[in-house]
Amino acid sequence: MKKYLLALCTLCICIGYSQDKESVIDSVAINILDKMGAYIGTLDACSFTLERSLDHEGTYGLEKNFYTDDVTMVGPDKMLVQTRGTLHNKDFYYNGKKFVYYSLDENNYSVLDAPDNIIKVIDGFNKKFGIRFPAADLFYPSLTDDMIENFSDIVYLGNDIIDDKECYHIIASNDKMNVQLWIENDESTLPIRMVIIHKEKEHNQYQVTFKTWKINPEVDSAIFNFSPPEDSRNIDIMAQAE
């Protein structure tokens, strides 16, 4: 991941205009986002656990589902994601050459040729097959620029305490959603929590909390190789996507 460093911005507070109100891009918020991205870009490896909740439309209105994701990445071309939760249990394996999607619930898997780095895998397989990687946006090298392009307001709101960690609190807002980030106030500036609120969908929410960050751990590369479980079936994910 070293080659994916975010360029540091030196923006002052910029004021623009929309039909409804002034737009605010806060230089403090931008610098915090850039610092987080730059630090993530220096990592050779990392692992963490995500605790996620998301709302969806149910028979009686919004229902909340819960998931836990164990994620290990070794840059630039190895990743393992193991997801357990309300509606599905699945694993993603990426070893630099092959990407494997494995469903524990159905005991089936699909093996695909993969590009040569994690960002291309996340972006390409999401666009082609609709595979969603948890909290992947925070690992994009273009995160700050993407937020400036898509949100009219990006503001630093002060500091909060999350899991005994002092965190910068940033909000980005547009007509359709707001995204709130809590980023640890220390040298690493790692993400600790993210909340997305959809304004047009009964304000349904997506929340993710990062737990047990490990920076540059020793990782056995064998964990990124998939071994089919007994009686599992190899399926054609391309046919299912179509």
Side-chain angles (χ1 to χ4, degrees):
M1 286 177 277
K2 283 186 174 180
K3 62 182 179 179
Y4 298 119
L5 296 180
L6 288 173
L8 293 176
C9 295
T10 56
L11 295 177
C12 295
I13 295 178
C14 300
I15 305 296
Y17 293 90
S18 65
Q19 293 180 345
D20 299 319
K21 66 178 183 64
E22 294 181 341
S23 174
V24 179
I25 305 298
D26 183 352
S27 63
V28 175
I30 296 302
N31 287 332
I32 293 169
L33 291 170
D34 279 335
K35 187 177 179 183
M36 177 187 73
Y39 180 75
I40 289 174
T42 67
L43 302 181
D44 293 314
C46 66
S47 66
F48 49 85
T49 296
L50 296 176
E51 293 182 355
R52 289 189 291 133
S53 68
L54 58 92
D55 298 334
H56 74 100
E57 292 288 343
T59 304
Y60 303 102
L62 290 180
E63 298 177 2
K64 194 173 291 291
N65 296 330
F66 294 91
Y67 297 90
T68 298
D69 310 284
D70 290 314
V71 180
T72 301
M73 293 189 286
V74 175
D77 60 356
K78 291 178 176 59
M79 177 174 63
L80 172 64
V81 181
Q82 297 174 301
T83 298
R84 306 292 181 266
T86 306
L87 297 180
H88 54 252
N89 300 279
K90 59 188 179 183
D91 296 338
F92 301 138
Y93 296 80
Y94 168 57
N95 64 6
K97 296 181 180 179
K98 298 292 184 179
F99 174 83
V100 178
Y101 171 96
Y102 173 61
S103 169
L104 281 76
D105 302 308
E106 300 176 1
N107 198 24
N108 57 34
Y109 64 94
S110 188
V111 182
L112 298 167
D113 292 330
D116 61 0
N117 68 70
I118 292 170
I119 296 298
K120 289 180 182 178
V121 167
I122 291 173
D123 194 43
F125 286 104
N126 176 260
K127 290 179 179 178
K128 192 167 186 178
F129 302 112
I131 296 174
R132 298 181 179 180
F133 298 85
D137 289 345
L138 299 183
F139 294 88
Y140 269 68
S142 59
L143 172 66
T144 305
D145 291 338
D146 291 342
M147 292 185 71
I148 292 172
E149 180 179 352
N150 290 287
F151 292 92
S152 57
D153 300 305
I154 305 174
V155 180
Y156 165 63
L157 297 179
N159 285 10
D160 279 342
I161 302 296
I162 305 290
D163 292 339
D164 297 323
K165 298 179 178 69
E166 185 178 23
C167 298
Y168 303 115
H169 184 191
I170 294 171
I171 188 168
S173 181
N174 59 27
D175 292 339
K176 295 183 178 181
M177 70 175 69
N178 74 49
V179 176
Q180 298 181 59
L181 292 171
W182 286 262
I183 300 169
E184 190 168 6
N185 179 8
D186 66 5
E187 292 183 359
S188 64
T189 55
L190 288 167
I192 299 300
R193 178 170 292 169
M194 177 175 66
V195 174
I196 300 174
I197 300 174
H198 295 275
K199 298 177 180 179
E200 296 181 335
K201 299 179 180 179
E202 297 188 22
H203 286 76
N204 69 17
Q205 297 187 21
Y206 172 87
Q207 177 172 309
V208 56
T209 301
F210 289 79
K211 301 279 190 177
T212 60
W213 273 101
K214 294 181 181 178
I215 302 304
N216 294 329
E218 292 290 333
V219 179
D220 183 353
S221 61
I223 70 169
F224 304 105
N225 298 320
F226 176 72
S227 297
E230 186 177 356
D231 298 326
S232 60
R233 296 182 299 115
N234 189 346
I235 62 172
D236 185 351
I237 196 172
M238 180 74 76
Q240 289 197 340
E242 292 172 351

